[in-house]
């Protein structure tokens, strides 16, 4: 059942991310649902599942992006793994703390991706950080916090994490 | 509560760390092998993912169509669409005729030996946009099984859209000409000076490496040079809107307004014929006029 859920999640993320989200983008920036999903899976299901689901998401999304495969694998897999570790260290996760955590992780991964662009000079890098990386990090944080809040209304998420 | 049962702290943590470390090592030491390995799986996965992707894309297109039909006056909208298509077509024709006229003036004698090789084109629909915010790319509903390969040029009747950078069996990713990482060999139609067209971060394009002695001016059209890449000579790229000529610089550059609104493109043509140095001059001059069905 769990693996079926993961499979459906990975399959549905592609049309959501590539077809529906562009309509909901703000200033041409859309949230990275893959990153949010990997973080949530890592947080609830532990680092191993976070890593594996993150890798699967990264790989499938990279098929539908001009970006490089390794970067997508590293960021999504890494976020799932990191969320799994953090989930064990933090006793009380709130939607705000999750949102801030996602914001930081998304910003770090965006910065890492921006640094891998070959032809960017300092001004172009700054432009990218200011107009893509930072807004997307805020967006990811807000979406993650919102999803966590919705889940916490529906389930007893603290027990779900610690059981 | 199924998520909670999978937690086995130390074993899982070690295994996760080991997996990640192994992946890191493999990605950095054997990037080509890992890529090759995953390419075997790209095809089947692409087939599976295409089903929900196309379903949602068609629902999305249907809703957008209905919405537009109800909001706009239907008759006016249809007429407008027809006129827009006609304008696009005429722009392509106009550009082609200008290109032909320029070529005729310069190469009248040579044109007698010109081969009328028409490129093969594949029509494809846009079913999505790049999964990340970092690239300006579109996803097409045709892939390797339809004969599409990386580096093929993508156009509409109005002009250049971009080039294919990635394919699965049934889909392909096209990097738009407005993406800063894209580069297309361009030619100023009036002066015949060559340069490289690159995207800008603002979503427009610029022509770089134009010779200092070039007499270009605002309003000049830039077309593909046909020397490198998947485009024949003479496809419209855009119109020069401003020129940047700095003292002491080796080249000048110019801002371009792309001919195609790549943010709204819905159907495209992928050029299958390969172009480049081996292509005979003028071989693709009639491209816009005669797309294959």
């Amino acid at each position: 059942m769990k693996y079926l859920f993961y499979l459906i999640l990975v399959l549905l993320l592609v049309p959501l991310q590539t077809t529906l989200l562009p309509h909901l983008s703000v200033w041409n920036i859309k949230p990275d649902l893959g990153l949010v999903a990997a973080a949530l899976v890592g947080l609830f299901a532990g680092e191993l599942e976070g890593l594996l689901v993150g890798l699967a998401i990264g790989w499938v999304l990279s098929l539908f992006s001009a970006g490089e495969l390794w970067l997508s694998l590293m960021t999504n897999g890494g976020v799932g793994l990191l969320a799994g570790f953090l989930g064990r260290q933090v006793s009380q996760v709130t939607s705000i703390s999750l949102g801030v955590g996602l914001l930081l992780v998304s910003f770090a991964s965006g910065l890492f991706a921006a640094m891998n662009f070959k032809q960017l000079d300092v001004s172009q890098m700054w432009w990218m950080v200011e107009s893509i990386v930072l807004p997307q990090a805020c967006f990811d944080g807000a979406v993650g916090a919102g999803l966590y809040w919705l889940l916490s209304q529906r389930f007893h998420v603290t027990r779900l994490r610690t059981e | 509560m199924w998520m909670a049962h999978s937690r086995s702290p130390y074993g899982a943590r070690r295994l996760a760390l080991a997996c990640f470390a192994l992946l890191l090592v493999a990605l950095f030491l054997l990037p080509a092998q890992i890529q090759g390995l995953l390419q075997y799986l790209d095809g089947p996965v692409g087939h599976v993912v295409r089903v929900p992707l196309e379903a949602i894309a068609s629902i999305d297109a249907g809703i957008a169509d209905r919405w537009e039909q109800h909001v706009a006056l239907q008759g006016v909208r249809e007429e407008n669409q027809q006129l827009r298509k006609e304008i696009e077509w005429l722009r392509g024709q106009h550009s082609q005729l200008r290109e032909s006229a320029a070529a005729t003036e310069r190469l009248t004698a040579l044109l007698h030996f010109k081969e009328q090789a028409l490129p093969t084109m594949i029509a494809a629909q846009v079913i999505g946009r790049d999964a990340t915010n970092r690239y300006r790319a579109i996803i097409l509903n045709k892939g390797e099984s339809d004969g599409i390969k990386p580096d093929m040029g993508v156009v509409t009747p109005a002009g250049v859209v971009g080039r294919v950078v990635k394919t699965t069996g049934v889909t392909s990713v096209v990097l738009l000409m407005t993406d800063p990482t894209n580069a297309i060999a361009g030619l100023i139609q009036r002066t015949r000076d060559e340069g490289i067209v690159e995207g800008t971060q603002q979503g427009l394009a610029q022509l770089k490496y134009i010779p200092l002695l070039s007499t270009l001016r605002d309003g000049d059209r830039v077309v593909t040079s046909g020397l490198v890449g998947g485009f024949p000579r003479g496809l419209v790229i855009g119109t020069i809107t401003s020129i940047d000529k700095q003292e002491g610089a080796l080249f000048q550059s110019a801002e371009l307004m792309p001919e195609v609104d790549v943010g709204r493109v819905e159907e495209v043509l992928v050029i299958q014929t390969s172009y480049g140095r081996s292509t005979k001059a003028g071989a693709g001059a009639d491209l816009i006029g005669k797309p294959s069905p």
Side-chain angles (χ1 to χ4, degrees):
Chain A
M1 187 66 186
K2 180 166 57 172
Y3 297 107
L4 184 67
F5 169 76
Y6 288 152
L7 183 70
I8 292 170
L9 175 74
V10 173
L11 289 184
L12 281 185
L13 265 177
V14 174
L16 269 177
Q17 188 71 33
T18 60
T19 308
L20 293 184
L21 275 191
H23 296 301
L24 304 174
S25 62
V26 180
W27 296 304
N28 280 330
I29 301 292
K30 58 192 179 201
D32 187 345
L33 287 186
L35 204 73
V36 175
L40 287 175
V41 170
L43 192 68
F44 286 116
E47 53 274 88
L48 184 59
E49 285 181 37
L51 170 70
L52 295 178
V53 173
L55 289 177
I57 289 171
W59 174 46
V60 173
L61 283 182
S62 84
L63 295 177
F64 299 92
S65 165
E68 291 187 57
L69 170 70
W70 70 271
L71 196 61
S72 187
L73 286 178
M74 296 293 299
T75 50
N76 287 287
V79 164
L81 182 70
L82 191 67
F85 281 132
L86 289 180
R88 288 194 198 286
Q89 308 303 325
V90 183
S91 58
Q92 182 70 38
V93 176
T94 63
S95 54
I96 293 178
S97 62
L98 179 75
V100 172
L102 262 174
L103 187 149
L104 293 175
V105 166
S106 173
F107 185 76
S109 70
L111 204 60
F112 184 58
M115 284 159 66
N116 272 286
F117 271 84
K118 288 190 177 88
Q119 300 149 337
L120 296 188
D121 57 30
V122 178
S123 65
Q124 287 170 322
M125 170 83 88
W126 176 244
W127 183 91
M128 196 166 177
V129 169
E130 196 182 35
S131 30
I132 296 177
V133 176
L134 190 59
Q136 186 185 329
C138 295
F139 220 157
D140 290 348
V143 169
L147 278 176
Y148 188 81
W149 182 80
L150 281 177
L151 283 173
S152 64
Q153 298 296 305
R154 178 73 181 82
F155 306 105
H156 196 304
V157 283
T158 310
R159 206 183 69 196
L160 199 70
R161 285 182 53 242
T162 52
E163 247 175 24
Chain B
M1 302 304 161
W2 50 267
M3 289 188 220
H5 297 305
S6 64
R7 315 193 103 203
S8 53
Y10 297 109
R13 187 178 297 180
R14 280 183 192 162
L15 189 58
L17 272 176
C19 285
F20 197 62
L22 195 69
L23 182 76
L24 268 178
V25 172
L27 280 172
F28 283 105
L29 292 183
L30 308 162
Q33 285 83 348
I34 295 282
Q35 205 113 16
L37 189 71
L38 287 175
Q39 263 174 3
Y40 283 111
L41 299 169
D42 282 357
V45 171
H47 274 282
V48 174
V49 176
R50 185 191 178 180
V51 177
L53 184 60
E54 283 218 321
I56 290 182
S58 65
I59 292 169
D60 179 55
I63 291 170
D65 253 17
R66 286 278 167 92
W67 175 256
E68 279 179 21
Q69 277 175 8
H70 282 90
V71 169
L73 294 167
Q74 200 172 339
V76 175
R77 182 178 160 270
E78 279 170 5
E79 190 185 349
N80 198 20
Q81 273 185 340
Q82 186 61 38
L83 288 171
R84 275 174 197 274
K85 276 184 188 165
E86 217 164 292
I87 288 171
E88 276 192 346
W89 172 262
L90 288 171
R91 274 186 184 163
Q93 290 284 314
H94 175 65
S95 161
Q96 179 207 332
L97 288 173
R98 284 181 65 160
E99 186 63 20
S100 301
T104 309
E105 280 175 23
R106 289 181 296 109
L107 304 164
T108 310
L110 195 60
L111 273 177
H112 293 302
F113 304 101
K114 182 180 129 182
E115 287 180 14
Q116 293 294 325
L118 294 174
T120 315
M121 294 204 257
I122 307 162
Q125 271 189 319
V126 178
I127 54 170
R129 306 266 152 192
D130 194 284
T132 71
N133 292 309
R134 293 186 286 272
Y135 294 91
R136 293 193 184 96
I138 52 176
I139 301 162
L140 305 183
N141 69 340
K142 301 265 172 82
E144 270 169 25
S145 56
D146 303 287
I148 296 178
K149 289 176 188 160
D151 280 335
M152 285 181 170
V154 179
V155 298
T156 69
V160 174
V161 172
R163 67 187 170 87
V164 177
V165 289
K166 208 180 264 185
T167 54
T168 69
V170 286
T171 60
S172 44
V173 179
V174 177
L175 191 65
L176 297 174
M177 57 166 291
T178 53
D179 188 280
T181 58
N182 206 351
I184 297 167
L187 175 79
I188 301 170
Q189 203 166 39
R190 187 178 56 82
T191 65
R192 317 307 295 174
D193 292 309
E194 289 174 2
I196 300 290
V197 177
E198 288 178 2
T200 65
Q201 286 161 331
Q202 288 72 31
L204 300 173
Q206 59 180 335
L207 181 65
K208 294 168 83 175
Y209 312 115
I210 311 165
L212 272 182
L213 295 176
S214 173
T215 56
L216 76 165
R217 58 184 182 223
D218 287 3
D220 274 349
R221 281 198 154 197
V222 177
V223 297
T224 51
S225 74
L227 290 179
V228 190
F231 299 99
R233 182 183 286 250
L235 288 171
V236 190
I237 297 175
T239 308
I240 292 176
T241 53
S242 68
I243 299 158
D244 182 19
K245 191 175 186 179
Q246 289 175 351
E247 211 165 299
L250 292 174
F251 299 98
Q252 48 184 327
S253 60
E255 296 283 324
L256 296 182
M257 176 57 75
E259 199 67 21
V260 179
D261 183 358
V262 289
R264 290 167 184 268
V265 71
E266 286 172 8
E267 287 99 20
V268 294
L269 298 164
V270 183
I271 303 169
Q272 269 193 310
T273 317
S274 64
Y275 289 87
R277 295 194 181 281
S278 58
T279 309
K280 290 179 183 172
D286 299 320
L287 175 72
I288 288 287
K290 296 169 185 174
S292 72

